[in-house]
Amino acid sequence: MRGTDAEGQLLDGKHAYTMTFAKNALPPVDRSKGGFWSLTMYDKDYFMLADAPDGRTNVGTVNLDANQLVFAQDGSLTLTLSHDEPSGDAARANWLPAPDGQFALIIRAYVPGKAIQDGSYKFPDVVRE
């Protein structure tokens, strides 16, 4: 669970944030056994957003499988976390809408790979823009 950014400040929808997964560094899950990962947006009381634009309250393997996310030319994946819709096609495609106030992110990994299990995999920082 993440309730703070890379600087230790509470996450708040008045700011825009990014999370960038390096090339080939998405959360390691065993897809052959039905494994998947998701990053879910919650308000400060840990409720999912009832009025999220397009109904998107999380992003993860399901979006990858549906080709809904846009990778950069270097193979990285940058997610945009903000209340306001970002500009640019890639940022909009990779947007996880945030509430107007404080929020929290919960990352889930189902059938996690060894790197998640032993703690050697590090999820990317949430960086305030």
Side-chain angles (χ1 to χ4, degrees), residues 37-129:
W37 65 272
S38 67
L39 174 69
T40 305
M41 178 70 65
Y42 290 89
D43 69 15
K44 67 182 178 78
D45 296 318
Y46 296 100
F47 288 105
M48 291 179 73
L49 306 184
D51 58 353
D54 295 333
R56 183 182 272 187
T57 57
N58 62 53
V59 65
T61 307
V62 171
N63 305 94
L64 291 170
D65 291 348
N67 294 317
Q68 295 173 332
L69 301 176
V70 177
F71 286 80
Q73 287 185 334
D74 67 2
S76 65
L77 175 66
T78 298
L79 303 177
T80 300
L81 317 166
S82 64
H83 176 70
D84 296 327
E85 184 175 352
S87 60
D89 293 339
R92 277 194 302 276
N94 299 345
W95 178 39
L96 183 55
D100 197 17
Q102 288 182 350
F103 65 89
L105 301 168
I106 295 182
I107 301 169
R108 292 180 174 87
Y110 297 89
V111 193
K114 182 174 172 38
I116 290 177
Q117 292 179 37
D118 68 17
S120 62
Y121 178 79
K122 301 299 180 206
F123 288 91
D125 287 333
V126 177
V127 178
R128 189 168 113 182
E129 298 298 301

